[in-house]
Amino acid sequence: MRNLIAKLALAAAVLGGGISAAAAETANIWVRADGSNFMPRIVDAYNKAHTNQIKLDIIPNAEIIPKYGAAAAGGTAPDALSLDLIYTPSFAAAGQLEDITDWAKSLPYFSSLSPAHVKTGTYKDHIYGLPFSADASVLIWNKKLFKQAGLDPEKGPTNWAEIAADAEKVNALGGNVKGFYFSGNCGGCNIFTFTPLIWASGGDILSEDGSKATLDSPQLRGAIDLYRSMVKKDLVPAGAQTDTGANFFAAFAAGNIGISPSGAFAIGALNTQYPDIDYGVTFLPGKDSGWSSFAGGDNFVVTKGTTKLAVVKEFLDFAYSLEGQTILAKYGSLPVRGDIAKEALKDLDPRYQIAAEAMAKGRTPYSVVFNDLINSANGPWTQMINEVFFGDDVDGAIANAQETMQSIIDQAPQK
């Protein structure tokens, strides 16, 4: 009898272990290389606290979009993906993402999630992507150079006239010091940092639903005039004209630029890599007042037909917890839950609070053909900005970009 009981107990233990092991599932998630600092850490924290597990693959930035598109079409896609939010409408329109509308709206903090992310995650009134990581465009200035130029080092520009005036005073220091920097041949950089100047002044480059190009506006022309005037006055280094983004951050980090539009990512990068640079962070202003920001980052999307939806939901719930948001904030992403953002950032550099406020009220253009319109090196946005900032035919460049953008939009599936 004792032997029988022992055998039954052993069998129960084995079966129990087998059942537990079978219940534990592993979901595969991809993230672009931009998330290689925070994503492994939040995955590790989740895996340590949960029976279900996440297998993370980090994909080079330039490869993740075509690689995911091919994998989704071929049935080999990961269960979920941290996807640059601007591409969410495109993959939703292609039918490659899981409709997560009911789940999303059931989240008790749904209304506190980044509105810009949720907007780009929505296609034909259904939600296919939820906010995961965030960045925001801001304006940064070199306090040391401001002080040397006789400016208040604690006060950043609050309108376009102040940007131009402050840049000119810093530029007057001479030597290799320049007043202002922007990457003049980078479509992505300028949609991130130049467009908010237009938004803050009441203009836009696309209609709310992405169906109309609205480039030719007084606000766009005014912002162009601001940049052109600084270029003409030699306040901008000559190399800006051909910069496709390689010096988007590096130029300011060199310590000889007075003012530069940038992103929240610069706070962590400057603090860790360039601790000797004393800098300020403020909002990207409108012509006379107000401010705006581009809300960037990633949406979390689920591959259509995945069998690991429960694991994916559990992981995202963890990422949305205070612990998860704090991990993300500590390692390079702004919180995407507005209701706990201050708590998640409380132990970090206070300049992150400015960036978080910018992100919470930030905007993101909506388009199912965003890459063709904006990011492509041969696209109408990139072609236009270089000409209007540095060329001679502003009117022609705007007109051509308007026509080309509208043609691309008209050939695409709509929201």
Side-chain angles (χ1 to χ4, degrees):
M1 178 63 74
R2 284 196 298 270
N3 287 339
L4 179 59
I5 292 173
K7 289 178 180 178
L8 288 173
L10 177 61
V14 172
L15 287 173
I19 291 170
S20 175
E25 293 187 293
T26 298
N28 181 214
I29 292 176
W30 288 2
V31 66
R32 55 177 168 150
D34 280 351
S36 59
N37 196 33
F38 58 77
M39 195 62 149
R41 288 174 169 86
I42 196 164
V43 167
D44 184 58
Y46 168 84
N47 285 344
K48 287 179 178 177
H50 294 80
T51 302
N52 292 323
Q53 299 287 284
I54 297 296
K55 177 184 178 294
L56 177 66
D57 290 321
I58 299 173
I59 313 297
N61 290 339
E63 297 177 17
I64 193 166
I65 298 303
K67 186 170 183 176
Y68 181 72
T76 59
D79 299 293
L81 173 75
S82 181
L83 174 73
D84 188 335
L85 78 168
I86 60 173
Y87 294 111
T88 317
S90 300
F91 283 106
Q96 295 171 325
L97 304 181
E98 192 75 28
D99 184 342
I100 55 174
T101 306
D102 292 341
W103 170 44
K105 292 185 175 180
S106 73
L107 297 172
Y109 43 78
F110 176 70
S111 62
S112 298
L113 296 176
S114 165
H117 284 68
V118 174
K119 178 187 173 184
T120 59
T122 303
Y123 177 71
K124 292 187 175 179
D125 298 322
H126 288 261
I127 298 173
Y128 294 89
L130 284 173
F132 189 78
S133 62
D135 195 6
S137 51
V138 292
L139 193 68
I140 56 178
W141 76 94
N142 186 307
K143 291 185 177 183
K144 179 181 178 180
L145 295 180
F146 263 50
K147 187 175 182 179
Q148 290 177 352
L151 297 166
D152 183 350
E154 302 304 319
K155 183 180 181 296
T158 60
N159 55 50
W160 295 358
E162 289 180 5
I163 289 176
D166 291 352
E168 194 161 2
K169 288 184 178 180
V170 170
N171 205 75
L173 294 173
N176 67 342
V177 172
K178 288 294 182 181
F180 192 81
Y181 191 85
F182 66 99
S183 297
N185 199 28
C186 175
C189 307
N190 284 284
I191 197 70
F192 187 55
T193 58
F194 179 71
T195 312
L197 302 175
I198 302 166
W199 291 335
S201 306
D204 211 333
I205 65 165
L206 290 171
S207 61
E208 188 72 13
D209 64 357
S211 65
K212 298 292 180 183
T214 58
L215 286 176
D216 196 352
S217 69
Q219 293 87 355
L220 173 74
R221 289 180 175 273
I224 289 170
D225 288 344
L226 170 66
Y227 273 36
R228 283 180 68 88
S229 68
M230 290 192 288
V231 169
K232 187 175 182 180
K233 292 178 181 178
D234 200 31
L235 308 185
V236 180
Q241 182 171 358
T242 56
D243 182 12
T244 58
N247 290 317
F248 179 60
F249 166 73
F252 185 85
N256 62 327
I257 299 296
I259 305 168
S260 182
S262 191
F265 71 89
I267 299 172
L270 287 168
N271 290 352
T272 56
Q273 300 173 42
Y274 305 92
D276 293 336
I277 295 182
D278 189 12
Y279 67 97
V281 177
T282 190
F283 305 112
L284 286 161
K287 180 179 180 180
D288 300 312
S289 62
W291 58 267
S292 190
S293 178
F294 187 107
D298 282 11
N299 269 336
F300 193 84
V301 300
V302 181
T303 300
K304 188 175 182 64
T306 179
T307 59
K308 306 293 178 63
L309 189 57
V311 184
V312 169
K313 288 180 178 180
E314 186 180 64
F315 172 72
L316 195 56
D317 282 339
F318 175 76
Y320 283 154
S321 69
L322 180 58
E323 180 183 358
Q325 292 291 285
T326 302
I327 292 172
L328 286 167
K330 183 177 180 180
Y331 292 104
S333 168
L334 293 173
V336 294
R337 273 188 64 178
D339 57 330
I340 58 174
K342 287 185 178 180
E343 181 70 11
L345 291 165
K346 68 177 183 178
D347 295 327
L348 302 181
D349 188 316
R351 287 171 286 202
Y352 278 115
Q353 298 285 356
I354 297 171
E357 184 179 351
M359 199 283 300
K361 297 181 181 179
R363 300 171 61 176
T364 310
Y366 186 99
S367 176
V368 297
V369 284
F370 189 98
N371 188 66
D372 295 337
L373 296 177
I374 306 298
N375 281 351
S376 172
N378 298 315
W381 172 257
T382 301
Q383 295 295 309
M384 181 195 76
I385 58 169
N386 196 258
E387 175 64 24
V388 298
F389 294 153
F390 302 99
D392 299 322
D393 189 7
V394 173
D395 291 341
I398 294 175
N400 182 63
Q402 169 71 28
E403 181 180 354
T404 306
M405 286 179 74
Q406 192 60 54
S407 176
I408 294 171
I409 292 169
D410 289 343
Q411 295 175 51
Q414 294 305 310
K415 181 177 179 181

